Amino acid sequence: MTKIVDINSRHPLVGTWKCCDGFSDIEIRIDFLDGKPHVSVSDKFDGEIPEVSDMRWNQEQDRLSFSTFWSSGRVVKYQFIPSPKSGRAGVTFSYVDQEIWEKI
């Protein structure tokens, strides 16, 4: 059976994360299963759960990166690194979005 590593005993990225700005409804859960990262993402506003892909774990740099694909077509790429302050993480993200333009 797969064992989930305890947040307090192994890695500071393990846990459920949300943006500190107070405006985002996205929650990201990070676990390590058999030494490999497992990520789940959800939008608490509408309940959507995007597809998570392209997961990469760089143990030497203590960096986790992955992509999410939302039903809107938006693709968001995330990179998490532990922060020196407990309970915080440095998160870099970029996204591809779609717009409809009209001729003027």
Side-chain angles (χ1 to χ4, degrees):
M1 175 159 251
T2 303
K3 181 180 180 217
I4 297 176
V5 177
D6 181 14
I7 187 170
N8 295 320
S9 67
R10 299 298 268 152
H11 200 280
L13 290 181
V14 173
T16 302
W17 298 92
K18 66 177 186 171
C19 183
C20 296
D21 69 5
F23 298 105
S24 177
D25 293 313
I26 304 301
E27 288 187 1
I28 298 176
R29 174 77 192 170
I30 300 172
D31 290 303
F32 281 82
L33 308 172
D34 294 333
K36 296 179 184 176
H38 174 76
V39 175
S40 57
V41 181
S42 63
D43 183 335
K44 295 301 180 184
F45 178 75
D46 63 10
E48 183 174 1
I49 297 173
E51 177 185 333
V52 177
S53 64
D54 197 26
M55 192 165 337
R56 296 181 186 160
W57 169 240
N58 185 317
Q59 190 169 359
E60 292 78 32
Q61 296 180 349
D62 219 13
R63 181 179 65 215
L64 174 65
S65 60
F66 57 92
S67 298
T68 57
F69 180 74
W70 297 87
S71 63
S72 64
R74 179 177 276 193
V75 175
V76 184
K77 295 183 178 186
Y78 293 92
Q79 176 177 276
F80 276 71
I81 58 171
S83 171
K85 184 174 180 178
S86 179
R88 298 282 174 119
V91 180
T92 303
F93 67 94
S94 61
Y95 63 89
V96 176
D97 206 354
Q98 179 182 356
E99 296 179 330
I100 296 178
W101 288 38
E102 63 184 25
K103 223 189 298 189
I104 57 172

